[in-house]
């Protein structure tokens, strides 16, 4: 495996990060049926499950920052996120290594950064990421795992500021920047409770059925006009 192992893993507590957001009126609440796409209702990401049921502790997430020559990885277990490693692989070797990392870390979903411009439009690089995500989704579904896309605009610059604030030297920042970008990606995904993510489903019907069978219990969807109801 061609990778850059990070010498130290900084843990970022999601509960502290999310505590800055206004607290919901109740600990457990229901979602309005029309507030989410049907695919997210059917295949809810871990962040969304945690929002609908804060007592839920299952599911680890692997954040993936895809680059032209380097891929940064970060891991979320419970309420902690940490940079994992940087891979210098491409093509099938990269996809197989991502699957191996997910199995090793007991992750059941991939959160892949989707390049977008400042106005929310996709870039030429977006098509390449979608192609990789599509191939990975097939292999992941065979194992009962899910692949989601999350807007990654600004994660690299934010990762740079984060590393400077942590006191990392320039050499370490250059080696670890992609992994820290993946950390920012996961934090954004959880801050938005996965509601802005997009699931990548394999075209094979049998694999979609496998995901349905292996998926956690369906979300508690309410058909009232309010976005959240008690």
């Amino acid at each position: 495996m061609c990778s850059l192992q990070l010498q130290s893993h900084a843990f970022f507590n999601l509960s502290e990060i999310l505590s800055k957001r206004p607290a919901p009126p109740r600990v457990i609440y229901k979602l309005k049926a029309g507030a989410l796409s049907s695919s997210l209702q059917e295949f809810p990401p871990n962040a969304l499950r945690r929002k609908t049921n804060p007592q839920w502790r299952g599911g680890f997430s692997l954040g993936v920052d895809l680059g032209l020559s380097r891929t940064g990885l970060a891991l979320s277990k419970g309420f902690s996120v940490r940079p994992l490693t940087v891979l210098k692989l491409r093509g099938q070797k990269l996809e197989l290594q991502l699957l191996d990392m997910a199995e090793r870390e007991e992750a059941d979903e991939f959160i892949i950064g989707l390049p977008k411009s400042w106005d929310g439009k996709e870039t030429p690089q977006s098509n390449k990421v979608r192609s990789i995500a599509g191939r990975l989704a097939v292999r992941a579904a065979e194992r009962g795992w899910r692949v989601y896309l999350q807007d990654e605009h600004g994660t690299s610059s934010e990762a740079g500021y984060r590393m400077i604030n942590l006191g990392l030297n320039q050499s370490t920042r250059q080696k670890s920047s992609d992994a820290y970008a993946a950390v920012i990606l996961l934090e954004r995904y959880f801050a938005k409770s996965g509601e802005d993510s997009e699931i990548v489903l394999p075209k094979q019907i049998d694999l979609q059925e496998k995901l349905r069978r292996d998926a956690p219990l369906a979300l508690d969807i309410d058909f009232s006009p309010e976005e959240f109801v008690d």
Side-chain angles (χ1 to χ4, degrees):
M1 177 181 71
C2 185
S3 65
L4 298 174
Q5 295 295 336
L6 306 184
Q7 293 182 348
S8 61
H9 300 306
F11 286 82
F12 305 99
N13 194 308
L14 279 174
S15 61
E16 295 179 0
I17 295 171
L18 300 182
S19 65
K20 299 178 182 179
R21 305 174 66 209
R26 291 188 61 185
V27 174
I28 298 179
Y29 47 84
K30 301 177 182 179
L31 294 174
K32 188 179 77 172
L36 299 172
S37 66
S38 58
S39 59
L40 288 185
Q41 293 179 32
E42 191 171 8
F43 306 99
N46 292 341
L48 186 56
R49 294 203 59 79
R50 187 171 295 161
K51 177 178 181 178
T52 56
N53 182 5
Q55 305 304 317
W56 183 73
R57 292 293 180 265
F60 299 151
S61 308
L62 191 67
V64 183
D65 179 71
L66 290 171
L68 295 177
S69 59
R70 293 157 47 106
T71 296
L73 301 181
L75 182 68
S76 168
K77 288 190 173 184
F79 282 95
S80 65
V81 179
R82 65 181 174 94
L84 196 58
T85 189
V86 176
L87 302 176
K88 289 187 174 182
L89 298 171
R90 301 179 65 181
Q92 186 177 17
K93 290 183 178 180
L94 172 61
E95 295 162 21
L96 291 176
Q97 187 59 41
L98 290 175
L99 293 169
D100 181 68
M101 295 292 292
E103 183 173 8
R104 187 183 312 169
E105 300 294 343
E106 300 180 331
D108 62 357
E109 68 174 13
F110 297 87
I111 309 300
I112 300 179
L114 180 66
K116 289 188 177 182
S117 59
W118 63 270
D119 58 358
K121 295 181 180 179
E122 296 192 13
T123 69
Q125 184 67 14
S126 302
N127 291 332
K128 297 179 182 180
V129 170
R130 285 188 176 276
S131 179
I132 296 173
R135 293 194 301 269
L136 182 64
V138 174
R139 296 177 182 270
E142 292 172 349
R143 297 161 172 79
W145 304 338
R146 291 151 286 120
V147 174
Y148 299 89
L149 295 172
Q150 174 73 43
D151 181 6
E152 69 168 17
H153 176 69
T155 54
S156 295
S157 58
E158 190 173 342
Y161 293 128
R162 174 73 61 84
M163 289 185 292
I164 290 175
N165 291 335
L166 289 172
L168 302 182
N169 60 40
Q170 184 175 2
S171 176
T172 301
R173 295 200 303 269
Q174 290 176 343
K175 294 178 181 178
S176 308
S177 60
D178 302 276
Y180 276 86
V183 167
I184 303 299
L185 180 73
L186 279 181
E187 290 178 355
R188 179 180 299 178
Y189 157 75
F190 278 102
K192 295 179 179 293
S193 301
E195 294 180 22
D196 286 350
S197 62
E198 171 191 344
I199 190 168
V200 182
L201 288 174
K203 295 181 179 179
Q204 296 88 333
I205 301 300
D206 61 322
L207 291 180
Q208 293 184 22
E209 289 300 324
K210 177 175 176 56
L211 286 180
R212 289 187 179 92
R213 293 194 303 268
D214 294 347
L217 295 177
L219 291 176
D220 190 2
I221 304 296
D222 195 283
F223 288 89
S224 65
E226 298 82 12
E227 182 176 2
F228 299 112
V229 298
D230 293 336

